[in-house]
Amino acid sequence: QVHLVESGGGLVQAGGSLRVSCAVSRRTFSSYAMGWFRQAPGKERERVAAITWNGSSTRYADSVKGRFTISRDSAKNMVYLQMNSLKPEDTAVYYCAAGATMFSEPVYWGQGTQVTVSA
Protein backbone atom coordinates (compact mmCIF):
# COMPACT_ATOMS: atom_id res chain seq x y z
CA GLN A 1 0.00 0.00 0.00
CA VAL A 2 1.24 3.47 -0.90
CA HIS A 3 0.38 6.36 1.34
CA LEU A 4 0.35 9.90 -0.01
CA VAL A 5 -0.27 12.91 2.21
CA GLU A 6 -0.55 16.40 0.77
CA SER A 7 0.05 19.64 2.63
CA GLY A 8 0.65 23.31 1.94
CA GLY A 9 -2.64 24.39 0.44
CA GLY A 10 -4.29 27.62 1.46
CA LEU A 11 -5.57 31.00 0.39
CA VAL A 12 -3.43 33.29 -1.77
CA GLN A 13 -4.06 36.41 -3.81
CA ALA A 14 -3.88 36.38 -7.57
CA GLY A 15 -0.31 36.78 -8.75
CA GLY A 16 1.05 35.15 -5.62
CA SER A 17 2.88 31.88 -5.07
CA LEU A 18 2.25 28.71 -3.13
CA ARG A 19 4.00 25.37 -2.78
CA VAL A 20 2.10 22.19 -2.09
CA SER A 21 3.93 19.12 -0.84
CA CYS A 22 3.29 15.40 -0.91
CA ALA A 23 4.84 12.94 1.54
CA VAL A 24 5.15 9.44 0.08
CA SER A 25 5.58 6.16 1.94
CA ARG A 26 9.22 5.17 1.72
CA ARG A 27 9.16 1.65 0.36
CA THR A 28 7.51 2.60 -2.89
CA PHE A 29 8.58 6.14 -3.65
CA SER A 30 11.34 5.38 -6.14
CA SER A 31 9.20 2.89 -8.06
CA TYR A 32 6.57 5.32 -9.29
CA ALA A 33 6.11 8.29 -11.49
CA MET A 34 4.38 11.04 -9.56
CA GLY A 35 1.81 13.57 -10.57
CA TRP A 36 -0.34 16.42 -9.38
CA PHE A 37 -3.99 16.65 -10.36
CA ARG A 38 -6.64 19.20 -9.52
CA GLN A 39 -10.39 19.34 -9.50
CA ALA A 40 -12.51 22.45 -9.22
CA PRO A 41 -16.21 22.34 -8.31
CA GLY A 42 -18.29 21.30 -11.29
CA LYS A 43 -15.25 20.51 -13.42
CA GLU A 44 -13.47 17.35 -14.44
CA ARG A 45 -10.25 16.33 -12.81
CA GLU A 46 -7.20 17.70 -14.63
CA ARG A 47 -3.66 16.37 -14.71
CA VAL A 48 -1.55 19.42 -13.87
CA ALA A 49 2.00 18.08 -13.78
CA ALA A 50 3.93 14.82 -13.74
CA ILE A 51 7.48 13.65 -13.15
CA THR A 52 9.26 10.39 -13.90
CA TRP A 53 10.42 7.99 -11.21
CA ASN A 54 13.94 9.39 -11.33
CA GLY A 55 13.03 13.02 -11.93
CA SER A 56 14.62 13.08 -15.36
CA SER A 57 11.54 14.28 -17.20
CA THR A 58 8.48 16.38 -16.46
CA ARG A 59 5.34 17.41 -18.25
CA TYR A 60 2.71 20.06 -17.64
CA ALA A 61 -0.79 20.95 -18.66
CA ASP A 62 -0.88 23.89 -21.05
CA SER A 63 -2.87 25.85 -18.48
CA VAL A 64 0.04 25.88 -16.01
CA LYS A 65 3.09 25.64 -18.26
CA GLY A 66 5.66 28.27 -17.34
CA ARG A 67 4.01 28.96 -13.97
CA PHE A 68 4.13 25.63 -12.12
CA THR A 69 7.12 23.40 -11.39
CA ILE A 70 6.99 19.81 -10.18
CA SER A 71 9.96 18.29 -8.38
CA ARG A 72 10.79 15.31 -6.21
CA ASP A 73 13.29 14.77 -3.41
CA SER A 74 14.24 11.11 -3.15
CA ALA A 75 16.13 11.62 0.10
CA LYS A 76 13.01 12.99 1.79
CA ASN A 77 10.39 10.95 -0.11
CA MET A 78 8.67 14.17 -1.08
CA VAL A 79 7.07 15.58 -4.19
CA TYR A 80 6.46 19.28 -4.61
CA LEU A 81 4.42 21.55 -6.82
CA GLN A 82 5.65 25.12 -6.87
CA MET A 83 2.91 27.41 -8.16
CA ASN A 84 3.74 30.94 -9.25
CA SER A 85 1.68 33.71 -10.84
CA LEU A 86 -1.46 32.09 -9.51
CA LYS A 87 -4.80 32.91 -11.06
CA PRO A 88 -8.34 32.58 -9.67
CA GLU A 89 -8.93 29.76 -12.16
CA ASP A 90 -6.21 27.75 -10.38
CA THR A 91 -8.58 27.38 -7.44
CA ALA A 92 -9.18 23.68 -6.87
CA VAL A 93 -8.44 20.71 -4.67
CA TYR A 94 -4.97 19.50 -5.56
CA TYR A 95 -4.19 15.81 -5.39
CA CYS A 96 -0.89 13.99 -5.37
CA ALA A 97 -0.87 10.65 -7.20
CA ALA A 98 1.47 7.77 -7.99
CA GLY A 99 1.47 5.63 -11.09
CA ALA A 100 3.56 3.43 -13.33
CA THR A 101 4.41 6.21 -15.79
CA MET A 102 3.70 9.91 -16.27
CA PHE A 103 1.01 9.01 -18.77
CA SER A 104 -0.79 6.16 -17.06
CA GLU A 105 -3.78 6.42 -14.78
CA PRO A 106 -2.51 6.73 -11.19
CA VAL A 107 -2.85 3.80 -8.88
CA TYR A 108 -2.61 5.67 -5.60
CA TRP A 109 -4.05 9.02 -4.51
CA GLY A 110 -3.67 11.39 -1.64
CA GLN A 111 -6.61 12.97 0.16
CA GLY A 112 -6.15 16.38 -1.49
CA THR A 113 -5.38 19.89 -0.33
CA GLN A 114 -7.45 22.98 -1.09
CA VAL A 115 -5.86 25.86 -2.99
CA THR A 116 -7.91 29.04 -3.26
CA VAL A 117 -6.77 32.03 -5.30
CA SER A 118 -8.62 35.26 -4.67
CA ALA A 119 -9.01 37.92 -7.34
Side-chain angles (χ1 to χ4, degrees):
Q1 186 70 20
V2 178
H3 296 286
L4 308 175
V5 180
E6 301 96 335
S7 61
L11 174 65
V12 63
Q13 288 187 334
S17 298
L18 200 63
R19 188 178 79 163
V20 290
S21 303
C22 176
V24 186
S25 54
R26 180 175 180 176
R27 60 182 295 193
T28 54
F29 181 66
S30 61
S31 302
Y32 292 92
M34 301 297 299
W36 286 95
F37 292 72
R38 69 184 181 187
Q39 188 165 23
K43 294 188 176 181
E44 293 187 355
R45 186 178 64 199
E46 175 187 24
R47 189 192 303 262
V48 174
I51 188 167
T52 53
W53 68 274
N54 61 356
S56 63
S57 183
T58 58
R59 61 182 287 120
Y60 299 92
D62 288 342
S63 57
V64 306
K65 202 170 294 183
R67 300 188 298 121
F68 290 13
T69 302
I70 187 172
S71 62
R72 63 192 297 164
D73 186 334
S74 297
K76 297 181 179 180
N77 297 331
M78 297 291 294
V79 181
Y80 305 101
L81 184 68
Q82 177 66 44
M83 303 181 288
N84 299 327
S85 302
L86 282 161
K87 305 174 181 180
E89 52 263 43
D90 294 319
T91 295
V93 177
Y94 283 72
Y95 298 91
C96 176
T101 73
M102 287 197 297
F103 308 97
S104 59
E105 185 67 18
V107 179
Y108 300 104
W109 295 88
Q111 82 287 353
T113 185
Q114 176 71 47
V115 172
T116 302
V117 184
S118 62

